[in-house]
Amino acid sequence: MRLRELVDDAELGLVVRAGAAGLDRAVAWVHTSELADPTPFLEGGELLLTTGLALREDACAELVERLVAAGVTGLGFGVGVSRREIPGELVESAERAGLPLIEVPRPTPFIAISKAVSRALAAAEYADLRRTSRAQHELAKAAGSRDGINALVRRLAKLLDAWTVLLDAGGRPIHAAPASTSLRGLEAEVESIRTSKGPSARILTLDDQEVSVQALGARARGVLLAGRSSGFSTADHHLINTAASLLSLALEQGRSFELARRRLTDGLFSLLLRGEDVNEELARLRLQPPAEPFRVVALGGAADDEELWSRLSAEHPEAFLAEHEDAVVGLVEEGEAGWLVRSGPPAGVSEPCRLAGLAEGVRQARQAAAAAGPGDVVRFAELAGNGLLDLLPAGRAAAFAESTLAPLRGHDELLRSLHAWLAHHGQWDPAAARLGVHRHTLRNRIRKAEELLDRRLDQPGVRAELWLALQADRS
């Protein structure tokens, strides 16, 4: 409520004696006091009412200064009780300080002013509740629409007149409104709240914006961000909390659905391995093996990696992925294995195969993955030299690898480069591409390895021995 609304209420009969320029100030509450200094009992925003019972003429200026410092909205002075009129010094001091000074006539009890303000505050609170209730209904309606999560994020942005972004469990954007919203400068905060076991919601300031960051669900299934240049009100935070609850529920339901779908896919994959005809069931799930011949990719030890599953499912919903023992197994078209193997776990890729030979393809991919290190990709064809290891006792093979590779110990970069170069038959460009370095960099590394090994790598016998040693070292 504004002071002006009180003054304009004819039934109250209030008269402005000073500080008329401040009548648009909001009244947070009404407080009555006859103390010479009531400021210790004020919070700011009050309309202070007094009859001046304890007010001395020489203390008017000091009282006004104290009230202004305390942040009061205005001073109401009741006349006809202890004083016939407002002291002139008080009027002058209030005018100089810009403090609204209102005369309350004798027939108007202070309680009437308190009731008027209380009614106005209650009405405003009720209006806020109704607006919040309608907005919450809109959010719930959006969440239940066909577009679901995306519609909810857009509706929240519109209701708040702010930008909103929804991130998945891995911190990658799922939906944003507007779509061009950038989270630059918020990366550290997002990562902190995504992995923190502490509070799940934070308010922070970025440049000139206030940003709300909320983790969704007890296990941080996602993160909701909202920001704008003007701060969020209490009602706005209610809306953000409502949206966060709805999104948490939707993400949890989506996770349950995905888990059920994965279990179905795993079961159908097992039937495929046994040669069963499950084409009709696959079609119902909108899952079809790729065109033959395809390759099998196995990601070793990744079956329990929820973040990996989430990323692969989000980026490639059409992919045929299944859990087989402790590995994630994917069927991919020839030449399309790259997206699956850029994931971190040891990866193995089979030779081209058909559904009739799926079991063999899985065996090849898993065997290749077993020979790969973290972040490495090994193709089954690269394991041809491993057959020699079976001819050696395990201890002899390990000793051979240890002695052969001893000059390169402590030079992991050289070992990885040597492995990639040998795996690509000494071809510089493919090996450099696999390592993500320039071919000249790879040449320098191989030259350094030659120097440390004191052997010529252009000799077939030397390459064969080193390849055997590398395979024995990884097994």
Side-chain angles (χ1 to χ4, degrees), residues 360-372:
E360 176 62 16
V362 171
R363 185 194 67 79
Q364 291 180 0
R366 287 180 59 81
Q367 188 173 337

Side-chain angles (χ1 to χ4, degrees), residues 217-356:
R219 299 183 181 181
R221 301 293 181 200
V223 178
L224 174 65
L225 298 99
R228 70 183 185 194
S229 54
S230 57
F232 293 117
S233 65
T234 301
D236 293 332
H237 285 298
H238 283 316
L239 288 185
I240 294 173
N241 291 337
T242 298
S245 298
L246 290 170
L247 287 170
S248 296
L249 179 61
L251 291 175
E252 193 61 38
Q253 288 177 333
R255 177 177 177 272
S256 298
F257 173 79
E258 284 302 319
L259 285 175
R261 190 172 186 271
R262 275 170 50 185
R263 295 295 172 259
L264 281 172
T265 305
D266 295 345
L268 292 174
F269 184 76
S270 297
L271 293 176
L272 280 175
L273 283 175
R274 288 158 46 184
E276 301 285 345
D277 182 4
V278 292
N279 287 330
E280 185 176 340
E281 289 78 6
L282 291 174
R284 288 175 183 170
L285 289 176
R286 296 183 180 179
L287 280 175
Q288 286 297 329
E292 298 177 330
F294 53 81
R295 290 182 184 266
V296 180
V297 176
L299 305 178
D304 295 328
D305 190 337
E306 288 295 333
E307 186 170 323
L308 174 65
W309 273 107
S310 175
R311 180 173 67 80
L312 293 179
S313 299
E315 294 178 357
H316 307 281
E318 77 292 345
F320 193 109
L321 299 174
E323 179 180 332
H324 182 63
E325 297 178 0
D326 66 338
V328 174
V329 177
L331 310 185
V332 297
E333 293 184 9
E334 178 70 24
E336 296 295 326
W339 65 264
L340 255 178
V341 299
R342 292 192 301 270
S343 51
V349 182
S350 74
E351 290 292 278
C353 67
R354 298 179 177 275
L355 277 178

Side-chain angles (χ1 to χ4, degrees), residues 41-356:
F41 306 97
L42 302 177
E43 295 181 346
E46 299 91 351
L47 171 60
L48 179 66
L49 302 179
T50 184
T51 63
L53 185 63
L55 179 64
R56 303 192 319 270
E57 292 286 340
D58 60 352
C60 289
E62 181 181 355
L63 174 63
V64 169
E65 288 180 7
R66 289 178 180 274
L67 294 179
V68 171
V72 300
T73 294
L75 175 62
F77 198 99
V79 295
V81 180
S82 61
R83 294 176 182 270
R84 295 180 57 186
E85 60 183 17
I86 301 176
E89 180 61 28
L90 184 61
V91 174
E92 294 175 5
S93 297
E95 186 65 37
R96 284 195 303 270
L99 175 68
L101 177 60
I102 300 172
E103 180 180 305
V104 183
R106 179 69 180 82
T108 302
F110 284 175
I111 190 65
I113 299 175
S114 297
K115 286 183 176 180
V117 172
S118 180
R119 284 194 300 270
L121 292 176
E125 183 176 348
Y126 178 68
D128 279 345
L129 287 174
R130 290 204 57 176
R131 283 194 296 270
T132 301
S133 178
R134 285 196 296 269
Q136 289 173 332
H137 178 73
E138 289 186 42
L139 290 175
K141 186 177 179 180
S145 68
R146 187 170 185 175
D147 203 13
I149 292 177
N150 194 15
L152 196 157
V153 172
R154 291 198 307 267
R155 176 56 58 181
L156 179 63
K158 185 174 182 180
L159 291 171
L160 295 176
D161 190 21
W163 58 260
T164 55
V165 176
L166 174 64
L167 309 178
D168 65 13
R172 291 170 294 274
I174 303 175
H175 302 293
S180 59
T181 301
S182 171
L183 297 182
R184 184 175 301 171
L186 290 169
E187 297 88 349
E189 285 290 342
V190 168
E191 183 63 18
S192 174
I193 200 168
R194 192 176 67 83
T195 58
S196 174
K197 296 181 180 179
S200 60
R202 299 175 191 173
I203 300 296
L204 53 100
T205 301
L206 178 67
D207 297 329
D208 62 340
Q209 295 193 335
E210 181 176 305
V211 181
S212 168
V213 186
Q214 287 210 29
L216 304 178
R219 299 183 181 181
R221 301 293 181 200
V223 178
L224 174 65
L225 298 99
R228 70 183 185 194
S229 54
S230 57
F232 293 117
S233 65
T234 301
D236 293 332
H237 285 298
H238 283 316
L239 288 185
I240 294 173
N241 291 337
T242 298
S245 298
L246 290 170
L247 287 170
S248 296
L249 179 61
L251 291 175
E252 193 61 38
Q253 288 177 333
R255 177 177 177 272
S256 298
F257 173 79
E258 284 302 319
L259 285 175
R261 190 172 186 271
R262 275 170 50 185
R263 295 295 172 259
L264 281 172
T265 305
D266 295 345
L268 292 174
F269 184 76
S270 297
L271 293 176
L272 280 175
L273 283 175
R274 288 158 46 184
E276 301 285 345
D277 182 4
V278 292
N279 287 330
E280 185 176 340
E281 289 78 6
L282 291 174
R284 288 175 183 170
L285 289 176
R286 296 183 180 179
L287 280 175
Q288 286 297 329
E292 298 177 330
F294 53 81
R295 290 182 184 266
V296 180
V297 176
L299 305 178
D304 295 328
D305 190 337
E306 288 295 333
E307 186 170 323
L308 174 65
W309 273 107
S310 175
R311 180 173 67 80
L312 293 179
S313 299
E315 294 178 357
H316 307 281
E318 77 292 345
F320 193 109
L321 299 174
E323 179 180 332
H324 182 63
E325 297 178 0
D326 66 338
V328 174
V329 177
L331 310 185
V332 297
E333 293 184 9
E334 178 70 24
E336 296 295 326
W339 65 264
L340 255 178
V341 299
R342 292 192 301 270
S343 51
V349 182
S350 74
E351 290 292 278
C353 67
R354 298 179 177 275
L355 277 178

